[in-house]
Amino acid sequence: MNKKEYFLQVFKKAERKYGKYEKRLAGEGWASDWQTLIATIMSAQSRDETTIPIAEELFKRYKTLENLSKARYSDVVKIFKRLNYNKTKARNVIAATRFLVDRYNGKVPDTIEELIEIPGVGRKTANLILTECHKKDGVTVDTHVHRISNVFFVKTKNPHETEFAMMKIAPRKYWSRINRIFVLWGKEVRGRDKRKFLEKLEVK
């Protein structure tokens, strides 16, 4: 069995298990593209369960991108007090909103090259915005996707390498679905024990 066939075998089993889950992730379910972007910046190294209510509080206080771009750092960092790396994230969120207002008239761009120029945005966030907001193809690699990919399909040193390795293995139509399924799966299994991952899929 080649790598593409093996990917399809494993992914389809994972999707059967986790595709019906209604659990919301931090980068999902926002009314505006800019909110999706900001929530995703906030979610780095923080649990979705922590990030979502804090993002909701932020967007309740700052109802538009323009409002948030004029926010005081001290006010934002106070809202972010329960987030990991809250000071850095507060700076990045304000800088990102100002960047969008100044450079793109408040619109969220739709290419990787433009997105990674935004403060606080790396390839993971950029790919999520491409897939979630612009319905484009992309492999969003967070810690769960990197870990699971290395358990089953690739041998890579970092998420950047994993993204490009998985693009070669996974058929393009699956790219945008990998992140949600692998994140939900990864939340249920710690470590890198393939047997434990397969047990979650009820594979004998």
Side-chain angles (χ1 to χ4, degrees):
M1 185 183 299
N2 64 35
K3 287 185 176 182
K4 286 188 177 179
E5 290 172 340
Y6 186 52
F7 167 80
L8 289 172
Q9 181 189 78
V10 173
F11 184 79
K12 286 177 179 178
K13 287 175 181 174
E15 195 165 47
R16 276 198 295 272
K17 170 76 180 284
Y18 296 102
K20 298 173 184 174
Y21 276 36
E22 294 183 1
K23 182 181 179 66
R24 181 185 177 190
L25 303 180
E28 298 173 343
W30 300 105
S32 305
D33 291 352
W34 70 268
Q35 292 178 331
T36 303
L37 176 69
I38 296 307
T40 306
I41 292 173
M42 293 169 60
S43 72
Q45 306 299 317
S46 293
R47 291 165 55 84
D48 297 290
E49 298 83 354
T50 303
T51 304
I52 290 170
I54 295 172
E56 287 172 342
E57 182 182 350
L58 181 75
F59 301 145
K60 188 174 180 181
R61 172 148 184 193
Y62 302 99
K63 291 183 167 49
T64 67
L65 178 69
E66 290 73 17
N67 288 157
L68 186 52
S69 72
K70 296 171 184 173
R72 289 192 304 184
Y73 167 78
S74 58
D75 292 334
V76 174
V77 83
K78 192 180 296 181
I79 294 171
F80 286 9
K81 63 179 182 284
R82 290 185 293 113
L83 280 179
N84 294 330
Y85 308 107
N86 50 20
K87 294 177 181 176
T88 299
K89 288 178 181 178
R91 280 193 292 271
N92 282 339
V93 161
I94 294 170
T97 53
R98 288 176 180 168
F99 187 92
L100 290 177
V101 169
D102 293 342
R103 184 78 67 92
Y104 294 106
N105 198 30
K107 302 293 184 188
V108 177
D110 64 353
T111 69
I112 287 274
E113 294 73 24
E114 291 171 315
L115 286 162
I116 60 175
E117 290 184 347
I118 300 170
V121 174
R123 291 191 68 89
K124 182 208 89 170
T125 297
N127 273 299
L128 189 139
I129 296 305
L130 286 186
T131 59
E132 190 71 20
C133 298
H134 299 301
K135 308 308 176 193
K136 291 189 171 187
D137 298 319
V139 180
T140 303
V141 181
D142 73 340
T143 54
H144 295 296
V145 175
H146 177 61
R147 180 165 56 100
I148 292 174
S149 297
N150 274 272
V151 168
F152 287 94
F153 313 115
V154 301
K155 285 185 169 60
T156 54
K157 296 176 183 175
N158 54 58
H160 186 270
E161 289 183 5
T162 300
E163 177 191 340
F164 288 95
M166 289 301 292
M167 286 166 71
K168 293 176 183 176
I169 294 170
R172 193 179 188 98
K173 69 177 184 178
Y174 291 92
W175 288 3
S176 64
R177 288 146 62 183
I178 290 172
N179 182 256
R180 176 172 173 80
I181 298 302
F182 281 13
V183 167
L184 293 171
W185 192 11
K187 284 175 177 287
E188 293 195 344
V189 184
R190 293 187 177 184
R192 297 191 176 213
D193 186 334
K194 184 184 286 190
R195 181 177 51 82
K196 290 181 179 177
F197 278 105
L198 292 174
E199 282 174 357
K200 282 294 177 185
L201 303 185
E202 299 172 351
V203 175
K204 303 245 174 131

